[in-house]
Amino acid sequence: MIELRTIRLIRHYYPIGCGVTTVLEDFVGRTLSSKMKSLKLVYGLIRKHHIVSMAELVDMTKYKYPSCVRLVEELLEAQLICENGVGESSGGRKPFLYTIHSNYRYVIGVAIAQGYTRVVLLNLNLDVLHERVLKMDANCTAAMTLQFIVSEIEWILTERIASSELLGIGIAAAGSLDTKAGIIQSNLYLTDDWAHVRIAEQLQHRFNTMVKLNNGSVLAALGEYRKNYWKDTDSLAYTVSGFSLRCGMIANGQLLRNNGYMEDSFGHTVIDIHGPQCQCGAFGCLETYASIPAIRSEVVKRIKQGEASLVTDMADPIERVHMEEILHAVEQGDRLCRDVVEKAASYYGIGISNLVFMNHIDTVIIGGFMASHPFLYDTVVQTARQRLLHYPKCHVTFSKPQSTYNGAAIGAGCMIVDHFIL
Ligand SMILES: [Zn+2]
């Protein structure tokens, strides 16, 4: 119990000031006192490393041992952190380990996408405590979807947590956004009334809490990074392949600034100036090779030119062929579909290697349909790796996302936690 005794001794010489214990909300502000900055730093390190000993905190902060003990004691008193067992001894008694009190406060993450709208309740460790989804169809107008979101949050605040325990609500949405004002400007893949939707203002007014908005792929990158990669790297790209090709980036351990209306710009990087014309007007954008519409239209074109394929019997008319059917045909050994999909995945791998060349990232998460099938995923990674061979020292880790369906919603909640702690 040497550490507890030390804490008591230290407290005798360094009494905690003012008799007011810190709360998480105290960490926000431009003019924090130096003590508050130190508390925030120690709390942030414990959050980042999940479980740490006092010696590790001393090593990471470079504070003197008594100062670190004092800060940890204050965080313990405020119940922001708690003890979490003991670690390995390096000779003396085993050291206490500390972790953040994950249920001290909660955040709500909302993700609005073409397929589903999702509402999740998260603790400070970004563990999903509750999740509800709305399948999006032609009836899901902005008003109706907002009603679903509001009633879900009301349920959470009645049944799961008190309003005072809620730090805020993060929203992830595809499309063109005004992130500062919290407005969804437009979304090509939702109903027409998803235009100029002042979603942050409405939820803020209804629940009297902080509400922030950002793009889905950007927030998926943030959530995936904080939950699974933060300790090991400070740079990461998270790519999402679907009807458009999107990307979120982490640089120096922080979300790279994004403007909210260029989420799909990864898809408009030009791979071949002599390629087909893109909806943006340019020729040979990555999207014209590696998006779902590009793959579908290539399969349809070649079938109409007379090539045989298993999907001919799966869709009538053939223009209605689904990506799932194409992937199913690939599994059955269909040569045409395999050829089209392989080319698309190769182009996607080139796009990813370009991302690495430009940004020197060391971790790439490949999300969306490119990760849905081993053949696609392996082709993407192989192509990217081959191009990166030019730099033998360049070691990039490629992975699939660990949170596949709710990654954007988790990231939306993470955006709120980051606001208070980073
Ligand atoms: Zn384009």
Side-chain angles (χ1 to χ4, degrees), residues 250-303:
I250 301 288
N252 299 320
Q254 307 281 349
L255 200 53
L256 195 67
R257 186 190 156 275
N258 68 307
N259 59 24
Y261 56 84
M262 288 173 68
E263 188 194 18
D264 61 351
S265 58
F266 176 49
H268 296 289
T269 50
V270 172
I271 296 292
D272 178 3
I273 56 168
H274 304 295
Q277 189 165 26
C278 177
Q279 49 155 332
C280 75
F283 289 84
C285 293
L286 182 59
E287 189 176 299
T288 63
Y289 296 100
S291 63
I292 288 176
I295 292 172
R296 282 169 54 187
S297 72
E298 182 66 13
V299 167
V300 170
K301 186 180 94 184
R302 286 176 54 173
I303 286 173

Side-chain angles (χ1 to χ4, degrees), residues 20 196 413:
V20 180
H196 206 73

Side-chain angles (χ1 to χ4, degrees), residues 374-388:
F375 175 62
L376 274 166
Y377 179 79
D378 293 345
T379 306
V380 171
V381 173
Q382 252 176 36
T383 310
R385 279 201 195 288
Q386 222 154 28
R387 287 173 55 81
L388 295 171

